[in-house]
Amino acid sequence: MRKIIATACCLFFIFADTIAQESLQEKKFLVQKKLILFPINSDGQKYNLDFCAGDFKTYFDLRLASHEDSTDYWVFMDVSKFHGQQVNISGKKNTGLSDGFKLIHQSDEIKTDVPIYSEKLRPQIHFSSKRGWINDPNGLVYYDGVYHLYYQHNPYDWAWGNMHWGHAVSKDLVHWEEMPIVLHPDEMGTMFSGSAVVDKNNTSGFKTGNEDVIVYAYSTNLDKVAQAQNLAYSNDGGKTLQKYENNPILPAIKRFGTNDERDPKVFWYEPNNNWVMVLHEGLGQSIYTSNDLKKWNFESHVKGFWECPELFELPIDGDEENKKWVLSGASGNYKLGSFDGKEFIPETDKLNYLKGKMYAAQTYNNNPDGRRIQIGWGTVDSPGMPFNKMMAFPTELSLKSTKQGPRLHLNPVKEIANLYKSSKSYNDLIFGDKDVNKEIDAVSTPLLHIKTSIEPVTNRKFTILINGYEFNYNLNDNLLNDVFVPLIDYTLDLEFIVDINAIEVFINGGQQVMVIPHDSNQQIPGITFSGKNETLIKHLEIHELNSIW
């Protein structure tokens, strides 16, 4: 009887396995080229696919086109590291999937009708990925002369999903080169946000060669019900990452009763000779400490913040003897206070510097010249394009004294000068009843960096037009468009970074920041001023910019 049962069970599993195999659509490649290309229909059905190459396994979904003439664009998977190996792509058998699988092929180049970086809405002075969606900047770290920008990335769709870690590098913070993806979804979930540190003393024990090991803390998201904290590390200067075999280092425990446990930001706290992690939990930011990056102790919690925590110290007005700590969240909200390595004590109510299309900013802990450099996610849509969203332009953060106390200020990094193609400056121009625009030279490109200081004389309203976009200021209610902007010493200081698809505005030395979507295509490039009576332009700089590509 046992033999009959055993035989029946064996036959059942063979039969079940056969059915499973027959229900799968598979495509196998012996990797001989750099990329595998997938045709995408933006309005098509989503298919869930598995990818396997030896011990490497991942999964993703995409809107696979079933015919060449229904293909809107092509996306790619970089398989160069699997050269000479067999890889397998599979999904649940379906007529549309079967047709789409016939179009999947290897190539050394991305298939495209329009050259990459020359598309109509492609940002020309902000980083964007070649294909797919990007969001939060992750793992910002400087190592051996290179700035690393990792980021949340869906390489297979225009919309959010399939979270991977994309990767780009730069030597000057303005010219970026996209690199292969470093973290793929696994059995613990998709790859959510995190940070990176250079573990110079090898406290983690991950170092295997001559390079300092870079350690990455990141969240995984499993079906939106479990978010855990994990480690990866790199022994080749950040080019490739290895996931820690004993992940997670912090399992999903729902300490504050929700599934929201994510976005670890880690840094070295010198006074206590240990690591600090700021982690979003519940409706606030939690602080943990560790000696080895693997075992973490909960220390404290600050309520009232959402996602993407940051915690760092800055001098006030450059005075190294007078510093404050900044605790922030994803929306440009922050508090100033003190920090003893375990607890942040707020000394201000919540403050804010941001209006418009930026979110989830992160900073570099270890810039070699000591600057605190920040990159935010520019949430500007790119309709009809094979890519979506961008990174905001890198800014230097500082604390400056105001009549209300010290406040955070953001200023474009000085490296923007590397993009200057031509520059003009003007002083003491009057506009209003007089047309001052004839005195301002025309520009040849919509890519601009503009600085100006304006003083109302007898005019309470004036307009600045940049590439067809109107900025209206009214002294009566102190509104710049819909943002409250008081004059400082009776002067309005404005700085603009103008791209094909967006305008960033830094107000009064960067105390306030606006990020505005604007299509500069088909617009007359340049800046003009208008208003009644008299307004004084104390100073005006116009720098034409080269593309970062």
Side-chain angles (χ1 to χ4, degrees), residues 57-124:
K57 295 178 176 63
T58 189
Y59 54 89
F60 52 92
D61 58 53
L62 78 175
R63 300 180 187 276
L64 193 68
S66 56
H67 301 284
E68 186 87 37
D69 58 6
S70 66
T71 299
D72 293 315
Y73 58 92
W74 294 79
V75 298
F76 65 93
M77 174 185 283
D78 190 322
V79 290
S80 53
K81 66 180 179 181
F82 303 119
H83 190 271
Q85 300 181 44
Q86 180 171 287
V87 301
N88 184 47
I89 302 168
S90 61
K92 188 175 180 180
K93 189 168 287 186
N94 174 285
T95 301
L97 185 63
S98 299
D99 292 337
F101 264 41
K102 296 174 185 177
L103 300 177
I104 300 172
H105 64 280
Q106 296 187 65
S107 175
D108 285 322
E109 302 290 338
I110 302 171
K111 193 172 183 179
T112 179
D113 294 329
V114 179
I116 291 175
Y117 302 132
S118 63
E119 302 94 339
K120 179 182 177 182
L121 292 178
R122 172 70 70 177
Q124 294 299 310

Side-chain angles (χ1 to χ4, degrees), residues 340-384:
D340 63 2
K342 294 185 177 182
E343 185 178 10
F344 174 82
I345 305 297
E347 298 174 5
T348 66
D349 292 329
K350 190 179 285 187
L351 306 167
N352 183 276
Y353 63 80
L354 179 62
K355 177 73 173 181
K357 296 291 186 175
M358 190 174 84
Y359 194 75
Q362 189 177 112
T363 68
Y364 288 89
N365 291 335
N366 66 333
N367 202 66
D369 59 9
R371 289 180 295 166
R372 178 64 58 165
I373 303 298
Q374 174 176 284
I375 297 178
W377 169 37
T379 63
V380 177
D381 282 341
S382 303

